[in-house]
Amino acid sequence: MKTKLLLMSILITGLHNAFCNFLGFKVGRYAPKDMRAQTYTYPFPLIFHYRQGGDTSERSDFRIKNVALTFDGLPINIQTLLQSKGISVEDVQVFEAYAKLKEAECNYFTHTWAMDVMIDNRLVVVESGIFEAFNLQAVNREIGINVLIPQTMSFHDKIYLSGNAARFHINDVSALAGGWFVSVYDPTQSNGNAEGQRLRAIVVKWTIIPSSWFTMSQNCTTPELLPSPILTWNSEDVDEIL
C-alpha cells in the first residue's frame, strides 16, 4: 500500500507577501486552486523527514539566502554535467539555502519545484544528486553522490505528497552538513501535459545546521564563528528570505 504524506505537514504559513515575490516567482504563475497558490508554498525543494508517512512526517525549517547566484558561479563539474544534458543556462535556477535540521534521516522532496500543476494527480521523475557533499551519505543510492539518480515524486487527492524517496543520512547531527544539491526535471517523464514545459534544473547550495546550535547561540561569546543565519533566524516564521 502506498504510504501517504499529509500535505498539511509541509505548509509554509504567514508569508503571503514573501511568496508573491519569491526571488522572481509570482503567485499568478499558478492557478488559484493549485496547492502552491492556496498554501503560499514556495516552488522550492524541501529537506524532509518522512518517518511513517501521514501526519508523522515534517520538514526541517529553511531559509533562502537573497543573493544572486549564477550558472557561472557553479562548480565546473556541475556546469559540465548540466551542459551535457542539453539544459539551457537560462533554465538553471541557482540558490543558496540553510536548513535547521530536525533529525538525521532526510528526504529531498522536489514536488513543489518540478510539478507543472498541483490540482490534479501528478507523477514526475526528478534526477537528483549531491555534489561536494560533507557529513552526509545517500541511503540505498536513492539520491546520487556526485552523480544524478532518478526518483519518482507523486501528488494525489489534492492534498498528499507521496514517496519515501531520495533519502540521505546526516552522519553527525552535531556538526554542519551540506553540499550542492542538483536536480533535473524532464517533462517527458511526467504524466501531465508536457506541452510548453522545458528541460530544466535547480541547484541549491544547502548548509544544514544542527538544531542544537540555535540554543548554543544564545550564550555564544564568539558569534562570528556561527553561520550568520543563526543570528538572524526568526523562530516565529517558518521560512523567510535572508
Side-chain angles (χ1 to χ4, degrees), residues 119-161:
I119 298 171
D120 306 317
N121 293 347
R122 279 291 184 275
L123 183 150
V124 296
V125 176
V126 178
E127 292 184 284
S128 292
I130 310 170
F131 295 74
E132 299 183 10
F134 61 96
N135 192 26
L136 58 81
Q137 60 185 347
V139 175
N140 296 332
R141 286 183 52 82
E142 292 178 12
I143 190 168
I145 300 296
N146 298 322
V147 68
L148 299 181
I149 291 179
Q151 284 283 295
T152 298
M153 310 287 170
S154 62
F155 171 74
H156 59 94
D157 299 322
K158 303 185 187 300
I159 59 172
Y160 292 110
L161 304 183

Side-chain angles (χ1 to χ4, degrees), residues 91-119:
D91 290 324
V92 179
Q93 298 168 280
V94 187
F95 298 95
E96 183 174 359
Y98 301 84
K100 181 180 179 181
L101 185 68
K102 288 189 181 295
E103 61 185 65
E105 295 296 322
C106 305
N107 305 82
Y108 198 52
F109 271 13
T110 52
H111 305 65
T112 55
W113 168 74
M115 292 183 178
D116 60 329
V117 175
M118 296 188 78
I119 298 171

Side-chain angles (χ1 to χ4, degrees), residues 55-227:
D55 57 7
T56 69
S57 303
E58 61 180 335
R59 62 172 177 74
S60 284
D61 295 345
F62 66 91
R63 302 291 187 266
I64 303 162
K65 192 168 183 179
N66 192 12
V67 296
L69 297 183
T70 66
F71 184 89
D72 291 340
L74 293 174
I76 295 299
N77 58 336
I78 296 177
Q79 293 185 40
T80 302
L81 173 65
L82 296 178
Q83 288 172 334
S84 72
K85 287 185 168 291
I87 304 173
S88 300
V89 171
E90 59 268 23
D91 290 324
V92 179
Q93 298 168 280
V94 187
F95 298 95
E96 183 174 359
Y98 301 84
K100 181 180 179 181
L101 185 68
K102 288 189 181 295
E103 61 185 65
E105 295 296 322
C106 305
N107 305 82
Y108 198 52
F109 271 13
T110 52
H111 305 65
T112 55
W113 168 74
M115 292 183 178
D116 60 329
V117 175
M118 296 188 78
I119 298 171
D120 306 317
N121 293 347
R122 279 291 184 275
L123 183 150
V124 296
V125 176
V126 178
E127 292 184 284
S128 292
I130 310 170
F131 295 74
E132 299 183 10
F134 61 96
N135 192 26
L136 58 81
Q137 60 185 347
V139 175
N140 296 332
R141 286 183 52 82
E142 292 178 12
I143 190 168
I145 300 296
N146 298 322
V147 68
L148 299 181
I149 291 179
Q151 284 283 295
T152 298
M153 310 287 170
S154 62
F155 171 74
H156 59 94
D157 299 322
K158 303 185 187 300
I159 59 172
Y160 292 110
L161 304 183
S162 293
N164 185 16
R167 290 182 296 165
F168 64 97
H169 177 85
I170 305 300
N171 296 325
D172 180 359
V173 296
S174 66
L176 291 174
W180 294 88
F181 284 61
V182 180
S183 298
V184 173
Y185 168 64
D186 182 350
T188 64
Q189 300 299 312
S190 167
N191 73 337
N193 182 4
E195 183 178 354
Q197 297 192 67
R198 298 193 301 270
L199 180 69
R200 54 193 172 88
I202 188 168
V203 182
V204 184
K205 184 180 182 182
W206 280 104
T207 300
I208 302 170
I209 306 171
S211 295
S212 60
W213 285 30
F214 290 82
T215 302
M216 291 165 50
S217 69
Q218 298 173 7
N219 300 313
C220 183
T221 58
T222 54
E224 66 275 8
L225 300 180
L226 294 169

